[in-house]
């Protein structure tokens, strides 16, 4: 039986040919394809400046630098995310301040943010988990009242929206990921949506060693930069993907609807919010009824794999990692994030899946759980 992974990128022959054309051109690092992709992403984001980076992690870190966040500052975020969300805060010398997840949306609990704000708070990093956007109206109301910058970790919400507006077309600084498992990919890579030309120019310097090229062919360096530029090889993939993003996301929504239709609700799993207006359905993640099961999550995943179905875990609550335990993280601090992080599983969801694949996954989940429920 064919193995069904939890995700798989869809790369067409035109994109493969475009990559070959770049390789033959002799210009394989940052060049005209990157410029083209930045222009098309800017159009996608309502004309706002967009700059590419080697990863969304790099884009987030540089966004914090642009926002003026540094040593002594605090940045509020949610512990239910990929570790990069908090790592970038540490990288710029600031302190992550965690706010628990909302048990329904699984995003940051907006009603708990203000209690975490101190005189040292400079920014908020909200995370759109699984492609479901954080309530942007409530988020920006809080940020505006407390004069905080917002660095949106929209790594998973490319093509998602909020009340009819595309994520990235409004707001403050917005980071998207083009990793291989995202709704559109460039293999590796990401971008940052910025507010103005000055921020865009600073981003350009930060991503390439702080260099400013001078008209006489020399250069100057006036900020400490790094090495985070994207290649034209990656941009060629991204250009092919961006053309198909709407179709990819439409198919993801169809597949998610099938999951809701065929998933056995009597198993006791908690399904994600059934949002078909805003979410791009980056992932489909039920929460296992562990208290009713005679096996743990790892054994569930192993039994699904034995049936040739891949299952992921996105994500454990990061304040329980050793890195953050050393900084005071402990069980019981963020109970909703801990509960979701302990019980979540990511089932297969990608555009090339067939309707029958979803039915097969649902039937297999049911068979595995019914054998171990008590």
């Amino acid at each position: 039986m064919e193995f069904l992974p939890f995700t798989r990128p869809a790369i067409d022959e035109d994109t493969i040919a475009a990559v070959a054309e770049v390789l033959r051109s002799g210009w394989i690092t940052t060049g005209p394809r990157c410029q083209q992709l930045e222009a098309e992403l800017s159009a996608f984001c309502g004309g706002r400046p967009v700059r590419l980076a080697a990863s969304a992690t790099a884009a987030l870190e540089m966004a914090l630098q642009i926002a003026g966040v540094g040593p002594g500052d605090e940045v509020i975020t949610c512990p239910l995310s990929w570790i990069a969300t908090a790592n970038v805060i540490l990288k710029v010398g600031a302190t992550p301040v965690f706010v628990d997840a909302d048990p329904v949306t699984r995003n940051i609990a907006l009603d708990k943010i203000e209690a975490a704000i101190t005189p040292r708070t400079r920014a908020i990093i909200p995370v759109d988990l699984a492609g479901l956007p954080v309530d942007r109206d409530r988020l920006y109301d809080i940020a505006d009242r407390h004069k905080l910058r917002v660095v949106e970790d929209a790594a998973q919400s490319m093509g998602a929206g909020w009340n009819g507006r595309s994520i990235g077309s409004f707001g403050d600084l917005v980071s998207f990921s083009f990793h291989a498992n995202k709704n559109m990919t460039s293999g590796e890579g990401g971008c940052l949506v910025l507010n103005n030309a000055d921020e865009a120019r600073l981003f350009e310097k930060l991503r390439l060693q702080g260099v400013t090229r001078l008209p006489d062919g020399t250069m100057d360096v006036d900020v400490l930069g790094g090495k985070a530029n994207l290649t034209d090889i990656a941009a060629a993939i991204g250009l092919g993907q961006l053309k198909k993003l709407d179709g990819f996301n439409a198919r993801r929504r169809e597949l998610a609807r099938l999951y809701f239709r065929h998933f056995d609700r009597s198993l006791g799993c908690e399904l994600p919010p059934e949002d078909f207006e805003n979410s791009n359905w980056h992932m489909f993640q039920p929460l296992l009824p562990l208290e009713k099961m005679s096996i743990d999550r790892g054994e569930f995943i192993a039994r699904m794999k034995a049936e040739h179905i891949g299952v992921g875990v996105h994500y454990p609550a990061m304040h329980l990692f050793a890195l953050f335990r050393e900084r005071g993280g402990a069980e019981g601090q963020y109970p909703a994030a801990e509960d979701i992080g302990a019980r979540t599983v990511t089932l297969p969801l990608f555009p090339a899946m067939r309707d029958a694949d979803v039915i097969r996954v649902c039937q297999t989940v049911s068979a595995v759980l019914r054998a171990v429920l008590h």
Side-chain angles (χ1 to χ4, degrees):
M1 182 181 293
E2 177 190 9
F3 184 79
L4 183 67
F6 79 86
T7 191
R8 180 190 293 142
I11 308 294
D12 62 17
E13 291 300 321
D14 287 344
T15 299
I16 293 170
V19 170
E21 184 179 333
V22 170
L23 293 173
R24 294 189 187 99
S25 75
W27 194 322
I28 60 175
T29 187
T30 308
R33 294 299 179 100
C34 286
Q35 292 177 351
Q36 183 185 353
L37 181 54
E38 286 180 339
E40 293 192 13
L41 287 167
S42 176
F44 182 84
C45 293
R48 300 181 66 191
V50 178
R51 295 295 182 268
L52 296 167
S55 68
T57 303
L60 277 177
E61 183 178 338
M62 290 183 283
L64 289 173
Q65 293 175 275
I66 289 168
V69 176
D73 295 331
E74 294 177 348
V75 178
I76 291 172
T77 192
C78 184
L80 195 63
S81 179
W82 176 232
I83 187 65
T85 306
N87 276 353
V88 296
I89 300 171
L90 294 173
K91 282 284 191 178
V92 300
T95 300
V97 175
F98 292 125
V99 167
D100 204 0
D102 181 291
V104 176
T105 67
R106 307 178 189 177
N107 289 327
I108 192 168
L110 293 166
D111 59 353
K112 296 183 178 180
I113 287 179
E114 289 187 275
I117 295 173
T118 75
R120 297 170 59 191
T121 307
R122 293 292 301 275
I124 305 171
I125 301 183
V127 181
D128 298 329
L129 190 67
L132 177 65
V134 173
D135 183 329
R136 293 303 196 268
D137 297 325
R138 292 180 61 194
L139 171 71
Y140 277 98
D141 176 65
I142 294 167
D144 291 346
R145 283 191 285 107
H146 292 274
K147 297 181 171 54
L148 302 176
R149 296 298 299 266
V150 176
V151 178
E152 299 180 21
D153 185 343
Q156 300 179 5
S157 55
M158 186 70 183
W162 183 255
N163 289 342
R165 295 183 295 171
S166 178
I167 298 299
S169 68
F170 65 99
D172 196 355
L173 299 163
V174 184
S175 173
F176 291 116
S177 173
F178 304 139
H179 181 265
N181 68 5
K182 297 302 188 288
N183 290 39
M184 67 165 276
T185 184
S186 57
E188 290 281 2
C191 72
L192 189 70
V193 187
L194 303 116
N195 292 291
N196 52 55
D198 288 341
E199 287 185 347
R201 178 64 190 129
L202 177 54
F203 186 88
E204 291 170 3
K205 291 194 287 186
L206 290 171
R207 75 179 173 188
L208 197 55
Q209 308 298 357
V211 168
T212 298
R213 301 285 182 181
L214 302 177
D216 65 358
T218 61
M219 67 182 71
D220 193 15
V221 176
D222 61 352
V223 296
L224 176 60
K227 185 70 164 65
N229 57 304
L230 196 70
T231 69
D232 264 23
I233 298 169
I237 300 171
L239 285 164
Q241 291 273 294
L242 184 57
K243 291 182 177 68
K244 298 199 166 189
L245 178 63
D246 288 346
F248 287 162
N249 285 347
R251 179 57 180 159
R252 286 176 176 274
R253 293 185 183 101
E254 290 175 356
L255 293 166
R257 288 185 188 277
L258 282 172
Y259 266 120
F260 282 109
R261 190 177 308 151
H262 292 281
F263 203 96
D264 184 349
R265 308 294 180 106
S266 70
L267 296 170
C269 296
E270 292 179 39
L271 299 186
E274 205 164 341
D275 183 307
F276 290 96
E277 296 300 321
N278 299 308
S279 178
N280 67 1
W281 286 101
H282 171 59
M283 294 187 288
F284 189 88
Q285 298 176 295
L287 305 183
L288 296 175
L290 290 180
E291 71 286 352
K292 300 177 182 178
M293 295 166 52
S294 60
I295 60 172
D296 62 15
R297 178 171 58 184
E299 180 61 24
F300 170 82
I301 293 172
R303 293 189 184 198
M304 292 292 291
K305 186 176 181 181
E307 298 297 329
H308 305 283
I309 294 174
V311 176
V313 174
H314 304 87
Y315 298 97
M318 70 175 81
H319 69 285
L320 300 180
F321 293 156
L323 178 66
F324 292 102
R325 286 183 182 273
E326 294 170 358
R327 293 166 167 78
E331 285 88 352
Q333 288 178 320
Y334 310 105
E338 292 169 27
D339 177 60
I340 295 165
R343 296 196 293 130
T344 188
V345 287
T346 304
L347 300 182
L349 179 62
F350 53 93
M353 280 178 65
R354 301 161 296 187
D355 291 7
D357 292 327
V358 174
I359 295 170
R360 174 186 158 202
V361 173
C362 290
Q363 291 174 340
T364 306
V365 169
S366 183
V368 170
L369 287 183
R370 291 208 172 278
V372 299
L373 288 173
H374 52 72

